[in-house]
Amino acid sequence: LAKTTQPISMDSYEGQEVNITCSHNNIATNDYITWYQQFPSQGPRFIIQGYKTKVTNEVASLFIPADRKSSTLSLPRVSLSDTAVYYCLVGNTGTASKLTFGTGTRLQVTL
Amino acid sequence: NAGVTQTPKFQVLKTGQSMTLQCAQDMNHEYMSWYRQDPGMGLRLIHYSVGAGITDQGEVPNGYNVSRSTTEDFPLRLLSAAPSQTSVYFCASRREGNTGELFFGEGSRLTVL
């Protein structure tokens, strides 16, 4: 399983763009990168997944450089409701069964 | 669709007692798993199952048993509760062979005195 490293915490003001970077130096060729969001007292919720380059959906973008050794989750114009813990996971169909969540990045958004 | 349903939401046990946390999903997912989350920590995998009749250990399996007699249900049994098992437990499911979205239940908060 690829090891991931994320900042422990980040602070932002409402309306700003937030970029959370995850390092995964030993990512395997067939690994995908997935991000989850967790609010207090709730289970994690899937945000976005990608393999390479850029993926965008209605809530976030995921940027993956050519070497795939890192990835960046971009949240445009955050609001107070985006205050949560964000987890980066790396795995493939063979390792997905044993995916675990690290401590994640705690994002605090204020006015 | 209810998604992933966990019961009970809250439980207090005394040391040495046993109990079962229930998890059910109505999405016909092959993969199901149990995690525990301690305060300020990430989620650690306890046990998982890739289909009915198949279970395997995760990162922290000691003190827990699981079974998977049906696709829908994946109960987690605490054999003899210890204070170290005080935690929030999350059940999750996903289509097997799919690296995509894990669907989580709302969690079960367990306190062992």
Side-chain angles (χ1 to χ4, degrees), chain A residues 32 34 36 38 41-46 49 87 91-93 96-103 106, chain B residues 31 35 37 40-43 45 48 50 57 59 90 94 96-97 99-102 104-106 109:
Chain A
Y32 284 79
T34 311
Y36 286 81
Q38 185 181 26
S41 302
Q42 295 186 22
R45 184 179 71 171
F46 175 92
Q49 184 182 74
Y87 299 95
N92 55 59
T93 55
S97 295
K98 285 198 166 189
L99 280 181
T100 58
F101 292 66
T103 52
R106 186 173 301 275
Chain B
Y31 175 87
Y35 293 86
Q37 185 172 36
M41 304 290 288
L43 286 79
L45 183 65
Y48 67 94
V50 298
Q57 296 181 351
E59 186 184 5
F90 290 101
R94 186 190 62 227
E96 179 53 8
T99 56
E101 182 174 0
L102 270 171
F104 282 84
E106 294 183 353
R109 185 176 296 274

Side-chain angles (χ1 to χ4, degrees), chain B residues 9-21:
Chain B
K9 288 186 170 46
F10 301 93
Q11 182 72 49
V12 178
L13 291 178
K14 294 181 180 178
T15 297
Q17 287 184 317
S18 63
M19 78 156 298
T20 300
L21 298 177

